[in-house]
Amino acid sequence: MTAAERTPIDPRLAEHRRLWDKKASLRAVYADYYRRMADALPDDGVWLEIGAGAGHSAGLLDARLRMDILASPWIDLVGDAHHLPFADASLDGIAMLDVLHHLADPVGFFEEVARVLKPGGRVAMLDPGITPVSWLFYNFLHDEPVEMGADPLAPASDATTKDPFDSNQAIPTLLFKREEHRIALSDAVPALRTVKRDWLSLFAYPLSGGFKGWSLLPERFAAPLLRLEDRLMPYLGLWMAFRIFVVMEKRAP
């Protein structure tokens, strides 16, 4: 048995991995997410994936380094996103799936992103997006809270002791869809500029059941349903999308 195989795994991560291995429809939906992030990042250079704990991106995202705050056999290093263990201007790209809404100090995190990215480097983030329809799903059928009245730029009061799984699913939408928060974030971290802000996921993701034990989406229907979503997104995204996709780029000096 290797050292990686002996790594203690948080039971919640282990359950995510079990469901990932079990649910082909979920893997199909997430493959689309990883493709979009890869397409948005620079073609060459060193990519880091943050929040890679259960190893979902293996074979789907060409990240050279995979990091998580929790140890697991599927990552390369353990680290805190608020204190990235990299030199200034050392990374070309950062990918994050379902991470931003868990961070205790979003502004502190983006300051770290601006520090470690090279000029022209990008961070691609895909998180829950809150719309009238998705709010009902996330608020009543999901374990994580949706606190639309929160200040997304304020650090959590318990930032130093916060459980990595604690979250507010509203944070990404508050940061990137409300104008006053977008302006405040730009003022706080002027080295980063937003180059993409899209709604994603109308049907396939909720029908897959996410990381629940059930699914209403047969794997063979996932790809055609995702293609249909792309056609409908301009008309329905603002009202019923379940995901928000944001790409930020580090400005040249």
Side-chain angles (χ1 to χ4, degrees):
M1 181 180 293
T2 66
E5 291 170 332
R6 292 194 299 269
T7 301
I9 304 174
D10 185 291
R12 296 166 293 186
L13 273 186
E15 176 63 5
H16 275 196
R17 182 67 191 204
R18 184 187 72 81
L19 291 169
W20 175 262
D21 291 338
K22 173 184 176 182
K23 299 180 65 172
S25 60
L26 179 66
R27 296 195 300 272
V29 172
Y30 272 54
D32 179 68
Y33 293 162
Y34 286 120
R35 176 189 60 79
R36 292 175 189 272
M37 289 193 289
D39 289 347
L41 294 176
D43 292 335
D44 300 312
V46 179
W47 294 2
L48 166 71
E49 183 188 3
I50 297 176
H56 304 151
S57 68
L60 300 172
L61 183 71
D62 190 22
R64 186 176 301 178
L65 298 166
R66 290 179 168 83
M67 186 184 90
D68 199 276
I69 197 168
L70 296 173
S72 82
W74 304 292
I75 64 171
D76 302 299
L77 69 157
V78 175
D80 185 343
H82 302 90
H83 306 284
L84 294 171
F86 299 97
D88 296 356
S90 59
L91 298 177
D92 298 278
I94 297 173
M96 300 164 38
L97 178 51
D98 287 334
V99 175
L100 180 58
H101 69 288
H102 288 284
L103 298 182
D105 182 6
V107 171
F109 163 71
F110 285 117
E111 290 173 341
E112 276 291 88
V113 168
R115 180 184 67 80
V116 302
L117 281 181
K118 299 175 184 177
R122 290 184 168 190
V123 54
M125 302 165 283
L126 204 152
D127 266 84
I130 307 304
T131 59
V133 171
S134 72
W135 180 86
L136 295 171
F137 178 91
Y138 287 130
N139 198 55
F140 295 110
L141 299 175
H142 202 278
D143 299 334
E144 297 172 328
V146 182
E147 299 172 7
M148 296 300 292
D151 179 356
L153 287 91
S157 58
D158 59 345
T160 58
T161 58
K162 180 176 176 289
D163 186 293
F165 280 83
D166 288 348
S167 69
N168 177 3
Q169 294 182 100
I171 292 296
T173 302
L174 293 174
L175 278 174
F176 292 103
K177 284 298 179 180
R178 288 195 177 174
E179 184 178 9
E180 67 270 28
H181 295 145
R182 294 203 312 266
I183 294 172
L185 179 60
S186 180
D187 290 344
V189 193
L192 297 177
R193 68 185 185 100
T194 301
V195 297
K196 181 185 286 288
R197 186 177 57 242
D198 293 339
W199 293 115
L200 292 178
S201 289
L202 298 174
F203 314 111
Y205 171 70
L207 288 174
S208 76
F211 285 92
K212 301 293 186 182
W214 56 269
S215 175
L216 301 177
L217 178 65
E219 180 189 11
R220 66 182 182 277
F221 294 143
L225 190 55
L226 290 168
R227 291 193 294 269
L228 176 62
E229 288 183 5
D230 283 341
R231 295 184 180 183
L232 296 177
M233 196 61 64
Y235 311 102
L236 300 178
L238 187 64
W239 304 103
M240 61 178 298
F242 280 75
R243 294 288 194 168
I244 187 169
F245 179 40
V246 177
V247 181
M248 301 185 82
E249 182 177 278
K250 183 174 179 178
R251 302 177 190 271

